[in-house]
Amino acid sequence: MKRRELIKGIGLVAGALSISGSAMAAEPVAGTKKKRILRIAHITDIHMRPELNAPDRFRQCMKEIKKHKIDFFLNGGDTIFAADYGNITRDRVEAQWAIWNELRNELSAYEMHSCLGNHDMWWAAPDKQDAMYGKPHVVKQLNIPNRYYSFQKQGWHFIILDSNNSNAGSLDPEQRKWLEADLAALPKGTPVLCLSHYPILGVSTIMEGGNHTDSRYITDLFYTHKDKKITCLSGHIHLLDAAEYNGVHYYCNGALSGFWWEEGDKQSIGKGYYRETPPGYAILDLYEDGQVDNKYFEHRY
């Protein structure tokens, strides 16, 4: 069962847009109060760059997010503007990561668990032995244990995937084997929050593309673990949507950078929007019984 609502004019900023959904295994008993375990900020597609005053606009967003009294951040990838194009120089990549590391240090009071985005890797290095080539350098810049990993918090299990493999938006064989074992090791009823850059399953990807190319494999795997309570988060397409399939809820939470910190184009319905989605972030409340409330907040920076 699922609840969705579109609310104008609420949130921490006047006029904020809040879209929320609640993923749950069963209806709560009348008169009972859900016990919240964690509150998380999901920021994705930051696309940090030196232009357009993006660093200071990011700082303003962080001030706003802190007012929600979150426990930690989930960063959904494309942390920097772009390193993946063939004409990107070493200096440009270093400059983008230097800004990010400065901003990240300013948030040192918070844990930040990140995944890799398709624009984060520098493939134009002179050779594969270059220290800045590919995924290992991004893992180092994001200060994460591996390109994919999992961790536990307050009875919740978090899975961070690497979507960036041979078929864009897919898991490689090594990661598939790991994911199968990771899920199999969880006790029945474990609540799981899975973070990927590409949407595993989405609605707006029908129009835009960008869905996981192996979504059938992943959704089939999730179905074999229907005894767990699984919710998935993603970004990549800069659009806001929610889907549900076989009891698993999928939230694609827009982009902090909106239209890459730019004004927009003729398809943008507002300043900084990508199509109909404003720049923003999501706040998630995670509950003891496996429920998730996912609310998206527009920012005006």
Side-chain angles (χ1 to χ4, degrees), residues 164-182:
N164 309 279
N165 295 291
S166 56
N167 292 316
S170 69
L171 307 181
D172 55 289
E174 173 190 299
Q175 189 174 185
R176 284 188 175 194
K177 185 176 180 180
W178 169 84
L179 179 59
E180 290 165 8
D182 191 73

Side-chain angles (χ1 to χ4, degrees), residues 13-142:
V13 178
L17 169 73
S18 177
I19 296 177
S20 71
S22 178
M24 62 190 74
E27 284 284 354
V29 177
T32 62
K33 185 176 181 180
K34 295 186 297 183
K35 181 179 179 182
R36 191 180 77 196
I37 299 296
L38 293 165
R39 173 166 284 180
I40 300 165
H42 178 215
I43 55 175
T44 188
D45 296 83
I46 299 165
H47 287 283
M48 185 45 57
R49 59 195 298 190
E51 301 84 12
L52 302 171
N53 199 29
D56 284 339
R57 292 162 72 185
F58 176 87
R59 289 183 174 100
Q60 292 301 313
C61 292
M62 295 307 102
K63 288 179 182 178
E64 183 179 311
I65 288 175
K66 289 177 184 179
K67 295 177 183 178
H68 290 278
K69 301 188 184 303
I70 63 166
D71 294 299
F72 61 89
F73 286 89
L74 291 176
N75 170 19
D78 282 359
T79 300
I80 60 173
F81 181 57
D84 58 322
Y85 299 119
N87 64 339
I88 304 295
T89 66
R90 185 185 303 274
D91 287 348
R92 175 66 173 176
V93 178
E94 289 178 332
Q96 291 174 87
W97 283 120
I99 296 169
W100 171 250
N101 286 320
E102 179 182 345
L103 294 170
R104 177 66 186 97
N105 287 337
E106 293 172 10
L107 295 169
S108 60
Y110 297 90
E111 292 181 19
M112 185 175 294
H113 302 277
S114 304
C115 70
L116 279 60
N118 56 296
H119 287 300
D120 293 328
M121 278 72 72
W122 190 43
W123 304 114
D127 56 64
K128 293 183 180 181
Q129 285 67 50
D130 191 292
M132 289 179 59
Y133 175 81
K135 296 179 182 180
H137 184 65
V138 180
V139 168
K140 182 179 179 181
Q141 296 304 309
L142 294 174

Side-chain angles (χ1 to χ4, degrees), residues 149-152 157-160 176-187 192 225 228:
Y149 57 100
S150 62
F151 62 94
Q152 301 278 141
H157 187 73
F158 295 84
I159 296 174
I160 314 296
R176 284 188 175 194
K177 185 176 180 180
W178 169 84
L179 179 59
E180 290 165 8
D182 191 73
L183 287 169
L186 298 177
V192 177
H225 291 279
K228 283 86 178 181

